[in-house]
mmCIF file of all heavy atoms in Angstrom:
data_model
loop_
_atom_site.group_PDB
_atom_site.id
_atom_site.type_symbol
_atom_site.label_atom_id
_atom_site.label_comp_id
_atom_site.label_asym_id
_atom_site.label_seq_id
_atom_site.Cartn_x
_atom_site.Cartn_y
_atom_site.Cartn_z
ATOM 1 N N GLN A 57 118.939 137.225 -182.916
ATOM 2 C CA GLN A 57 117.783 136.336 -182.997
ATOM 3 C C GLN A 57 116.492 137.140 -183.015
ATOM 4 O O GLN A 57 115.418 136.576 -182.867
ATOM 5 C CB GLN A 57 117.769 135.385 -181.792
ATOM 6 C CG GLN A 57 118.910 134.397 -181.802
ATOM 7 C CD GLN A 57 118.878 133.512 -180.571
ATOM 8 O OE1 GLN A 57 119.057 133.990 -179.455
ATOM 9 N NE2 GLN A 57 118.640 132.240 -180.774
ATOM 10 N N HIS A 58 116.588 138.446 -183.219
ATOM 11 C CA HIS A 58 115.430 139.335 -183.122
ATOM 12 C C HIS A 58 115.157 140.072 -184.430
ATOM 13 O O HIS A 58 116.064 140.672 -185.005
ATOM 14 C CB HIS A 58 115.642 140.350 -181.998
ATOM 15 C CG HIS A 58 115.947 139.706 -180.686
ATOM 16 N ND1 HIS A 58 114.992 139.109 -179.905
ATOM 17 C CD2 HIS A 58 117.121 139.537 -180.026
ATOM 18 C CE1 HIS A 58 115.553 138.600 -178.824
ATOM 19 N NE2 HIS A 58 116.847 138.847 -178.876
ATOM 20 N N VAL A 59 113.897 140.053 -184.863
ATOM 21 C CA VAL A 59 113.490 140.749 -186.083
ATOM 22 C C VAL A 59 113.739 142.253 -185.945
ATOM 23 O O VAL A 59 114.166 142.905 -186.891
ATOM 24 C CB VAL A 59 112.001 140.472 -186.419
ATOM 25 C CG1 VAL A 59 111.528 141.338 -187.563
ATOM 26 C CG2 VAL A 59 111.796 139.010 -186.751
ATOM 27 N N LYS A 60 113.509 142.795 -184.747
ATOM 28 C CA LYS A 60 113.709 144.240 -184.535
ATOM 29 C C LYS A 60 115.144 144.656 -184.844
ATOM 30 O O LYS A 60 115.380 145.740 -185.363
ATOM 31 C CB LYS A 60 113.358 144.637 -183.095
ATOM 32 C CG LYS A 60 111.887 144.745 -182.845
ATOM 33 C CD LYS A 60 111.615 145.247 -181.437
ATOM 34 C CE LYS A 60 110.131 145.427 -181.222
ATOM 35 N NZ LYS A 60 109.830 146.019 -179.918
ATOM 36 N N SER A 61 116.105 143.797 -184.537
ATOM 37 C CA SER A 61 117.507 144.117 -184.816
ATOM 38 C C SER A 61 117.777 144.136 -186.315
ATOM 39 O O SER A 61 118.527 144.976 -186.808
ATOM 40 C CB SER A 61 118.428 143.099 -184.149
ATOM 41 O OG SER A 61 118.285 143.170 -182.756
ATOM 42 N N VAL A 62 117.146 143.232 -187.050
ATOM 43 C CA VAL A 62 117.303 143.202 -188.514
ATOM 44 C C VAL A 62 116.662 144.457 -189.110
ATOM 45 O O VAL A 62 117.237 145.107 -189.990
ATOM 46 C CB VAL A 62 116.694 141.915 -189.112
ATOM 47 C CG1 VAL A 62 116.730 141.947 -190.636
ATOM 48 C CG2 VAL A 62 117.432 140.684 -188.590
ATOM 49 N N ILE A 63 115.497 144.831 -188.608
ATOM 50 C CA ILE A 63 114.813 146.043 -189.090
ATOM 51 C C ILE A 63 115.660 147.278 -188.777
ATOM 52 O O ILE A 63 115.776 148.188 -189.597
ATOM 53 C CB ILE A 63 113.398 146.143 -188.475
ATOM 54 C CG1 ILE A 63 112.512 145.037 -189.065
ATOM 55 C CG2 ILE A 63 112.789 147.522 -188.715
ATOM 56 C CD1 ILE A 63 111.179 144.860 -188.378
ATOM 57 N N ARG A 64 116.291 147.300 -187.609
ATOM 58 C CA ARG A 64 117.176 148.413 -187.245
ATOM 59 C C ARG A 64 118.331 148.512 -188.256
ATOM 60 O O ARG A 64 118.698 149.598 -188.687
ATOM 61 C CB ARG A 64 117.711 148.208 -185.824
ATOM 62 C CG ARG A 64 118.372 149.440 -185.253
ATOM 63 C CD ARG A 64 118.771 149.258 -183.785
ATOM 64 N NE ARG A 64 117.646 148.897 -182.932
ATOM 65 C CZ ARG A 64 117.542 147.758 -182.239
ATOM 66 N NH1 ARG A 64 118.499 146.861 -182.276
ATOM 67 N NH2 ARG A 64 116.488 147.515 -181.494
ATOM 68 N N GLN A 65 118.883 147.365 -188.635
ATOM 69 C CA GLN A 65 119.959 147.353 -189.632
ATOM 70 C C GLN A 65 119.456 147.866 -190.983
ATOM 71 O O GLN A 65 120.139 148.647 -191.652
ATOM 72 C CB GLN A 65 120.529 145.938 -189.806
ATOM 73 C CG GLN A 65 121.378 145.467 -188.667
ATOM 74 C CD GLN A 65 122.670 146.266 -188.573
ATOM 75 O OE1 GLN A 65 123.378 146.477 -189.541
ATOM 76 N NE2 GLN A 65 122.970 146.730 -187.372
ATOM 77 N N LEU A 66 118.266 147.436 -191.380
ATOM 78 C CA LEU A 66 117.680 147.934 -192.637
ATOM 79 C C LEU A 66 117.593 149.455 -192.595
ATOM 80 O O LEU A 66 117.992 150.139 -193.541
ATOM 81 C CB LEU A 66 116.289 147.329 -192.857
ATOM 82 C CG LEU A 66 116.241 145.868 -193.284
ATOM 83 C CD1 LEU A 66 114.835 145.303 -193.116
ATOM 84 C CD2 LEU A 66 116.705 145.711 -194.721
ATOM 85 N N ASN A 67 117.092 149.990 -191.484
ATOM 86 C CA ASN A 67 116.961 151.447 -191.342
ATOM 87 C C ASN A 67 118.325 152.137 -191.357
ATOM 88 O O ASN A 67 118.476 153.192 -191.972
ATOM 89 C CB ASN A 67 116.192 151.798 -190.075
ATOM 90 C CG ASN A 67 114.734 151.396 -190.172
ATOM 91 O OD1 ASN A 67 114.126 151.442 -191.234
ATOM 92 N ND2 ASN A 67 114.169 150.972 -189.062
ATOM 93 N N LEU A 68 119.315 151.553 -190.695
ATOM 94 C CA LEU A 68 120.658 152.134 -190.659
ATOM 95 C C LEU A 68 121.289 152.211 -192.050
ATOM 96 O O LEU A 68 122.098 153.083 -192.323
ATOM 97 C CB LEU A 68 121.577 151.325 -189.741
ATOM 98 C CG LEU A 68 121.451 151.573 -188.257
ATOM 99 C CD1 LEU A 68 122.281 150.565 -187.475
ATOM 100 C CD2 LEU A 68 121.903 152.984 -187.908
ATOM 101 N N TYR A 69 120.914 151.276 -192.922
ATOM 102 C CA TYR A 69 121.453 151.259 -194.279
ATOM 103 C C TYR A 69 120.548 151.963 -195.282
ATOM 104 O O TYR A 69 120.704 151.795 -196.492
ATOM 105 C CB TYR A 69 121.735 149.818 -194.723
ATOM 106 C CG TYR A 69 123.055 149.314 -194.182
ATOM 107 C CD1 TYR A 69 123.119 148.608 -192.986
ATOM 108 C CD2 TYR A 69 124.249 149.579 -194.849
ATOM 109 C CE1 TYR A 69 124.335 148.167 -192.475
ATOM 110 C CE2 TYR A 69 125.462 149.138 -194.347
ATOM 111 C CZ TYR A 69 125.500 148.433 -193.163
ATOM 112 O OH TYR A 69 126.705 147.998 -192.664
ATOM 113 N N GLY A 70 119.609 152.756 -194.802
ATOM 114 C CA GLY A 70 118.809 153.606 -195.681
ATOM 115 C C GLY A 70 117.574 152.970 -196.284
ATOM 116 O O GLY A 70 116.967 153.530 -197.189
ATOM 117 N N PHE A 71 117.162 151.809 -195.777
ATOM 118 C CA PHE A 71 115.926 151.193 -196.269
ATOM 119 C C PHE A 71 114.746 151.873 -195.586
ATOM 120 O O PHE A 71 114.827 152.245 -194.419
ATOM 121 C CB PHE A 71 115.894 149.699 -195.936
ATOM 122 C CG PHE A 71 116.795 148.865 -196.794
ATOM 123 C CD1 PHE A 71 118.147 148.765 -196.516
ATOM 124 C CD2 PHE A 71 116.294 148.166 -197.883
ATOM 125 C CE1 PHE A 71 118.986 147.990 -197.292
ATOM 126 C CE2 PHE A 71 117.120 147.387 -198.665
ATOM 127 C CZ PHE A 71 118.475 147.304 -198.374
ATOM 128 N N THR A 72 113.664 152.025 -196.310
ATOM 129 C CA THR A 72 112.442 152.573 -195.731
ATOM 130 C C THR A 72 111.319 151.557 -195.904
ATOM 131 O O THR A 72 111.256 150.856 -196.916
ATOM 132 C CB THR A 72 112.027 153.908 -196.383
ATOM 133 O OG1 THR A 72 111.951 153.726 -197.791
ATOM 134 C CG2 THR A 72 113.026 155.000 -196.073
ATOM 135 N N LYS A 73 110.454 151.505 -194.912
ATOM 136 C CA LYS A 73 109.323 150.577 -194.965
ATOM 137 C C LYS A 73 108.315 151.090 -195.981
ATOM 138 O O LYS A 73 108.010 152.281 -196.023
ATOM 139 C CB LYS A 73 108.674 150.456 -193.589
ATOM 140 C CG LYS A 73 107.646 149.352 -193.527
ATOM 141 C CD LYS A 73 107.183 149.139 -192.108
ATOM 142 C CE LYS A 73 106.209 147.972 -192.069
ATOM 143 N NZ LYS A 73 105.709 147.742 -190.728
ATOM 144 N N VAL A 74 107.818 150.177 -196.793
ATOM 145 C CA VAL A 74 106.825 150.513 -197.803
ATOM 146 C C VAL A 74 105.482 149.980 -197.331
ATOM 147 O O VAL A 74 105.367 148.806 -196.988
ATOM 148 C CB VAL A 74 107.194 149.876 -199.171
ATOM 149 C CG1 VAL A 74 106.147 150.192 -200.217
ATOM 150 C CG2 VAL A 74 108.566 150.330 -199.614
#
Side-chain angles (χ1 to χ4, degrees):
Q57 293 178 295
H58 305 283
V59 172
K60 282 185 177 185
S61 297
V62 174
I63 291 170
R64 193 174 303 118
Q65 287 293 312
L66 286 165
N67 291 326
L68 280 172
Y69 279 93
F71 285 82
T72 53
K73 189 172 183 181
V74 179

